[in-house]
Amino acid sequence: MNGRPRIKDIAQRLGVSPATVSRALTGTGLVAEPTLSRIREAARAMNYRPNVSARNLRTRRSMSVLMVVRDIGNPFYLEVMKGVEQAAREAGYSVLMGNTESNPERETEYFDMLRDGHADGMILMTGKLPAGLDAAGIAISDLPLVVALETIEGSGLPHVRIDNLAAAREAVRHLVGLGHRRIAHLTGPLPEIMSRLRRDGWRAAMHDAGLAVPEAYEQRGDYLLRSGQALCAILCDLPEPPTAIFCANDEMAFGAIHELRRRGLDVPGDVSVVGFDDIYLSEVIFPPLTTVSQPRAEIGRAAMSLLLQVIGGDEVAAEPIVLPTMLKIRGTTGPAGTSG
Amino acid sequence: MNGRPRIKDIAQRLGVSPATVSRALTGTGLVAEPTLSRIREAARAMNYRPNVSARNLRTRRSMSVLMVVRDIGNPFYLEVMKGVEQAAREAGYSVLMGNTESNPERETEYFDMLRDGHADGMILMTGKLPAGLDAAGIAISDLPLVVALETIEGSGLPHVRIDNLAAAREAVRHLVGLGHRRIAHLTGPLPEIMSRLRRDGWRAAMHDAGLAVPEAYEQRGDYLLRSGQALCAILCDLPEPPTAIFCANDEMAFGAIHELRRRGLDVPGDVSVVGFDDIYLSEVIFPPLTTVSQPRAEIGRAAMSLLLQVIGGDEVAAEPIVLPTMLKIRGTTGPAGTSG
DNA sequence: TTGAAAGCGCTACCAC
DNA sequence: GTGGTAGCGCTTTCAA
C-alpha cells in the first residue's frame, strides 16, 4: 500500500483477478456489470493510474506521436501544433515536439525515437529526410510517417500541404492588378522545394502579365528576418528598384518593411510588400501585412488524422491532401506610384 | 531476426549474456574492454535500439519531463521552451509540452501524467495548482514540481522567475522620466499574482513620483490583444486621457497601439506605450516597442536545472531564483507633449 | 464471465 | 568481469 496502487492491489482488495481489473479498466473485454462498477469504483477510490511504461511495453504502442519541425522558435508552427494536438488528444495520443534546427544529426535522432518506441508515428515538417536511412536498411515507406507543410520529393509519403505555387501566383497577380510592373521576390532557401514553388509562382504570375523578370529581382534568402532586411537593401540600391516585393514568408516581409522604413520609404506609398504565412501579429503590425494565409490548424489536424490512419495500418491515398490558402489583402499593398 | 533486434539477439550472436550486453550499452557496469567494443560494434551493425518502454518500466523512470503552459499558442513560451529543451537534452531528457488553456480539467490531466509514469517531473508555467489535489491525498511538496515565470503562492515549490514588481516600476519610472504625468496601466487578469505585481509596480512608481492614480487609469485586461485594444479605447474616451500607457504584456501593448493608430493618434508623439515581455517581433513592429525584456531562455534553462535537482532528490533552496530583466527602450516611448 | 499464467524487453541483483 | 535470473506492471491468450 506504500506508493501508488497497482492493478494487483485493486484485484486483491476486491477479490478478483488482475485480468478482470485490467479488462474492466481498459473497457475492452467483457466484464459483468456488477463487477465492472465495483472495479471502477475501487480504482477511483484508490486513485489508481495505470503505469504507461508497463502498458506500452505490453501493447507495443506508446500512444504518442512526434511532430518534428525545423525551428521550434518559429511561431508559425504553434498553430499547426495546436491542430495536431487537438486531433491527437481526441484519439488519446500525446504529442512530442521535435526540433531539428536543420541539424542532420538531430533529424536522425527523431527517427531513432520512432524505433525505440518513444512514438508510434511522426509528422515531419522538415523538408528532407536524414541521410543514411537507406544505408541502415530502413525502408521509408514502411515507417509511420506523414509530411506536412513541406514536401519530400520522391518519398512516396502521405502529404498534407497547400498549393504553394498557385498561392504565390495569386499574391503576385494581386500586385500586378494594382498596377505594379517592377515586382521583386525574396526567396526562401532554394534547395528546398517549397521555396522553389513560391518562386515559380512569382515567375508564373510575372509571365502571365508579360512582365520582365530581371535576374536581380530574384534575391535568395533564408526565411529569416535579417535576410529580408539585407536583401531589401540590395533591391533598393538597384538602378531600377522594384515598386513591389513579394516575400517567401512573413518574417522576411517584416525585415523588408523595416529596411524600407529605415530608408524613409513609405509602405505601401512607395513600395508594396506581400508576405506569405500570415503569422501571428501580421495583422497587428502597422500597416497590417498583406499576406497569404495558410489554414495552419487545419493542416495540423489533417496531418494527425492521416498519421492515425497510417498507424492504424489503413491504406492511405497516394494523392497529397491540398488545403486551400487565402490571400489576405491588408495594408502593405497599394497602387503602384506614377513613377512605377 | 524478424523485426527489430533485442538485447537477447545481440547476446546470442556474441555468445555473451544479456546482462553483459545491457551493461555494455548503458555504460554503467564494468565490462572488459574487448567485450565492450565487440558488443558496441554488434549493436551498431544490427542497428539496435533499446526499447524505452521496457527500460522505463524497469528503471521506473521515463527520462522525460512535462512543461505545462497556459496557452501553447502564445509565442512567448517558445523561447522558454527552447531553454528548457536545451537543458533537458543535455541531461538526456525529452520535453513534453502541456497546454492547459486555463482548463482545470486539463491541469489535473498533467498531474495524472506525472503519476502514470509519463514524466519524471513537471515545470509549471501556469499560475495555479489544480483543485482537488489535497483531496486526492497528494502532497504537493512531494511531487517533482518546479514553477517558472509564474508564482504559486504558498505552495512552497521551487520557483524561477523575475522580479515583476521591480521591473514594472522601472518601466513606469522611465515614462515619468520622459515627463509623463498621466500614466495609465492595462493589467493582466488580477486574480493572478503576476498581474498584481506588475500593477503594484506601476502604482509604486506613480507613488514614487508623487503622481495621482485615478481609478479609471487602471484598466483590467486579460493579456490578450483584443483587450488591449478595447481598454485603450476606454482610456482615450476619458475626459483626461493618459499620455502614456504601461501594459502588463506586449500583446496588449500591440492592441493599444493599434487602437491609438485607428484614432489617428501618433505613437509616441501623442501617446507613449510600454509593454512587458519583449516577445517575438516586438523589435520589428513600427515603431519598435519599448518593453521589459525577460531572459526567457535563461528562465527555461534554470527551471530545468532546478527540476533535475528535484528529480535527483537533492535539496533545493527554498529561495526562489530571481533572474534579471532589462528595460528595452525603443520607439514607442517619447517625451510627454506640452499638453501632458 | 472470470482466472491462471505467460511474457513484453530490459535492468539489477546475486552468484561465481 | 560475467552469467543466471527475477521481476518492473500490465495485457492477453488459453482454460475453465
Side-chain angles (χ1 to χ4, degrees), chain B residues 6 19 22 26 64 66 83 133 142 160 204 206-207 225 258 282 316:
Chain B
R6 313 281 158 226
S22 172
T26 49
S64 53
L66 214 42
L133 276 180
D142 291 347
V160 179
M206 295 298 274
H207 184 260
L225 205 123
H258 204 66
S282 292
V316 171

Side-chain angles (χ1 to χ4, degrees), chain A residues 4-6 46-54 56-57 60-64 71-76 78-79 81-82 85 89 94-99 101 106 109-110 112-118 135-138 225-226 251 254-255 258 261 279-286 288, chain B residues 4-6 46-54 56-57 60-64 71-76 78-79 81-82 85 89 94-99 101 106 109-110 112-118 135-138 225-226 251 254-255 258 261 279-286 288:
Chain A
R4 295 170 36 207
R6 313 280 158 225
M46 297 169 78
N47 218 318
Y48 171 78
R49 286 248 94 203
N51 177 309
V52 289
S53 301
N56 291 349
L57 175 59
R60 296 148 165 281
R61 294 193 306 166
S62 65
M63 294 308 280
S64 53
D71 169 23
I72 209 172
N74 189 333
F76 176 80
L78 281 178
E79 210 165 326
M81 169 157 49
K82 262 189 158 174
E85 232 221 347
R89 286 178 60 78
S94 309
V95 181
L96 268 142
M97 284 293 299
N99 186 21
E101 282 166 353
R106 297 191 57 174
E109 213 168 288
Y110 293 115
D112 286 345
M113 289 180 69
L114 211 53
R115 303 193 61 227
D116 69 20
H118 253 111
I138 297 163
L225 204 122
R226 296 276 164 242
E251 275 197 66
F254 286 135
H258 205 64
R261 283 248 179 64
I279 64 173
Y280 185 80
L281 296 182
S282 291
E283 197 178 351
V284 171
I285 65 155
F286 192 80
Chain B
R4 294 171 37 206
R6 313 281 158 226
M46 298 170 77
N47 218 317
Y48 172 77
R49 286 247 94 205
N51 177 310
V52 288
S53 301
N56 291 348
L57 174 58
R60 294 148 166 283
R61 294 192 307 165
S62 66
M63 293 309 279
S64 53
D71 169 22
I72 211 174
N74 189 334
F76 176 81
L78 281 178
E79 211 163 326
M81 169 156 50
K82 263 189 157 171
E85 232 221 346
R89 285 179 60 78
S94 311
V95 182
L96 268 143
M97 284 293 298
N99 186 19
E101 284 167 350
R106 296 192 58 173
E109 215 169 285
Y110 293 114
D112 286 346
M113 289 179 71
L114 211 54
R115 304 193 60 225
D116 68 20
H118 253 111
I138 298 162
L225 205 123
R226 298 273 162 244
E251 275 199 65
F254 286 134
H258 204 66
R261 284 246 179 64
I279 62 172
Y280 185 79
L281 297 182
S282 292
E283 195 177 352
V284 171
I285 64 155
F286 192 81

Side-chain angles (χ1 to χ4, degrees), chain B residues 25 83 109 190 222:
Chain B
L25 263 24
E109 215 169 285
L190 281 188
D222 58 9

Side-chain angles (χ1 to χ4, degrees), chain A residues 48-178:
Chain A
Y48 171 78
R49 286 248 94 203
N51 177 309
V52 289
S53 301
R55 170 178 288 174
N56 291 349
L57 175 59
R58 182 64 232 234
T59 58
R60 296 148 165 281
R61 294 193 306 166
S62 65
M63 294 308 280
S64 53
V65 298
L66 213 43
M67 165 175 163
V68 184
V69 302
R70 298 162 175 283
D71 169 23
I72 209 172
N74 189 333
F76 176 80
Y77 293 114
L78 281 178
E79 210 165 326
V80 183
M81 169 157 49
K82 262 189 158 174
V84 171
E85 232 221 347
Q86 194 181 321
R89 286 178 60 78
E90 283 167 13
Y93 277 79
S94 309
V95 181
L96 268 142
M97 284 293 299
N99 186 21
T100 69
E101 282 166 353
S102 300
N103 179 344
E105 250 176 72
R106 297 191 57 174
E107 280 166 14
T108 314
E109 213 168 288
Y110 293 115
F111 274 79
D112 286 345
M113 289 180 69
L114 211 53
R115 303 193 61 227
D116 69 20
H118 253 111
D120 298 336
M122 182 153 69
I123 302 175
L124 292 173
M125 304 193 185
T126 59
K128 55 175 182 257
L129 261 15
L133 276 181
D134 306 323
I138 297 163
I140 298 299
S141 48
D142 291 347
L143 261 27
L145 253 39
V146 156
V147 182
L149 298 174
E150 316 258 350
T151 304
I152 299 182
E153 296 170 277
S155 66
L157 291 172
H159 276 73
V160 178
R161 56 178 179 79
I162 56 162
D163 188 339
N164 283 282
L165 193 150
R169 194 174 197 161
E170 184 190 354
V172 176
R173 191 184 303 135
H174 161 64
L175 290 170
V176 171
L178 287 168

Side-chain angles (χ1 to χ4, degrees), chain A residues 259-306:
Chain A
E259 176 64 19
L260 291 168
R261 283 248 179 64
R262 214 183 54 75
R263 290 168 174 254
L265 292 167
D266 183 59
V267 177
D270 297 310
V271 182
S272 287
V273 176
V274 176
F276 203 116
D277 284 349
D278 193 20
I279 64 173
Y280 185 80
L281 296 182
S282 291
E283 197 178 351
V284 171
I285 65 155
F286 192 80
L289 185 69
T290 295
T291 187
V292 177
S293 180
Q294 303 193 37
R296 290 194 285 281
E298 288 302 333
I299 292 174
R301 255 193 299 275
M304 186 63 209
S305 305
L306 207 54

